[in-house]
Amino acid sequence: MRGLREGTRHWVLEAPCEGFFNLRQLRIVPIDWVMYQVKEFLHTKRYSTCQAYGHTANSKECKFVTPFCGCCGLRHNTRSCRKDELCCINCAESNRNRGTNYKIRHRSIGKESLPCYNKEVTAYRKTRTIFSINNSIFENIQFPYNITTESSNEPLKILQIKLAKAKEVTNQLHLTASTIKPDIILVQEQCSNNNGIPGIPQTWKTFSSSNQKAAILIPSSKL
């Protein structure tokens, strides 16, 4: 993606769970003897016409045709703005419609400290399921049991699989588990039915995320 400064680019990379948490703490990564800043990519939506968060032009949810300026908040395109006084249309609309008391003398774009932006980030994080067994970090998931084995010297066998919401693949998962015999199965994009996973034996312990996009399955009786 094009950066704010001329000649700069932003790269969006995907990392394993453990590496993601390490990079988020370090905030820098060396590439060819050059240090680059790293931060979590938050895929928030904002429509450049009305400046509001939560939708884009393709969603067809916006009722405004005439644009709002991202600098002064008036009804003209942001690029053609020549006014010195700043006004955030998002914070102004929130104060008028929701009774909030946000400061409005700032731009509607380019400020990550804006209350409306932070609200959108909070809503976006609730749709993500992030967990790391090595770091014992769990978000948006209830996992009331401790992971222990009968013998401390016996390693856990963990199977990670992406089911792509395919019902046939989900139904065959128990056959795969009977062959590999994993202790824990980490699944993504599973086919769900009534907040459950079809084809899973009732003896398995199942812990699904709140958005039903990921789950932890424990077929082993040792845990």
Side-chain angles (χ1 to χ4, degrees):
M1 295 186 298
R2 186 177 61 182
L4 295 177
R5 292 180 297 177
E6 186 177 356
T8 61
R9 292 290 186 272
H10 294 302
W11 289 79
V12 180
L13 306 176
E14 185 177 356
C17 191
E18 183 179 1
F20 166 77
F21 287 107
N22 292 334
L23 289 173
R24 192 167 67 172
Q25 292 178 352
L26 293 174
R27 298 183 180 180
I28 55 175
V29 58
I31 301 177
D32 290 337
W33 300 97
V34 179
M35 304 301 292
Y36 293 91
Q37 294 182 355
V38 178
K39 65 179 181 179
E40 182 181 1
F41 176 69
L42 301 171
H43 192 263
T44 57
K45 298 178 181 179
R46 184 182 63 84
Y47 189 17
S48 58
T49 297
C50 66
Q51 308 301 333
Y53 291 98
H55 64 273
T56 60
N58 296 329
S59 63
K60 299 181 181 179
E61 297 178 3
C62 187
K63 60 182 179 180
F64 297 104
V65 178
T66 305
F68 282 97
C69 178
C71 296
C72 68
L74 297 180
R75 305 303 292 270
H76 58 253
N77 194 285
T78 304
R79 294 183 178 180
S80 60
C81 183
R82 297 295 182 268
K83 294 185 176 295
D84 297 329
E85 186 176 3
L86 301 179
C87 179
C88 176
I89 185 62
N90 292 326
C91 292
E93 287 292 314
S94 179
N95 292 343
R96 183 176 63 179
N97 298 329
R98 300 182 179 87
T100 55
N101 191 25
Y102 297 151
K103 296 180 180 180
I104 64 174
R105 297 306 175 188
H106 52 255
R107 297 174 183 267
S108 301
I109 55 178
K111 294 284 187 178
E112 294 188 354
S113 60
L114 299 182
C116 296
Y117 174 81
N118 292 334
K119 183 179 179 180
E120 183 67 17
V121 169
T122 301
Y124 172 78
R125 289 184 185 277
K126 290 182 179 179
T127 65
R128 305 292 94 185
T129 301
I130 304 175
F131 56 87
S132 173
I133 291 181
N134 292 335
N135 294 282
S136 299
I137 298 175
F138 291 85
E139 297 182 9
N140 299 336
I141 191 168
Q142 294 181 351
F143 201 80
Y145 295 95
N146 294 325
I147 300 179
T148 57
T149 59
E150 295 178 353
S151 174
S152 59
N153 296 326
E154 183 180 355
L156 288 175
K157 294 178 63 177
I158 300 177
L159 170 64
Q160 183 177 0
I161 186 170
K162 190 173 184 179
L163 302 177
K165 296 186 179 298
K167 185 176 181 180
E168 295 79 7
V169 179
T170 305
N171 291 334
Q172 296 294 322
L173 182 59
H174 69 284
L175 298 178
T176 304
S178 63
T179 303
I180 303 177
K181 293 181 171 48
D183 297 309
I184 299 175
I185 304 177
L186 308 179
V187 298
Q188 291 177 292
E189 298 184 4
Q190 70 274 15
C191 179
S192 59
N193 184 15
N194 295 328
N195 295 329
I197 304 177
I200 299 301
Q202 296 182 355
T203 56
W204 289 14
K205 298 184 181 72
T206 304
F207 306 95
S208 299
S209 62
S210 58
N211 56 13
Q212 300 297 319
K213 292 185 178 180
I216 299 178
L217 309 178
I218 304 181
S220 176
S221 59
K222 301 177 183 179
L223 304 181

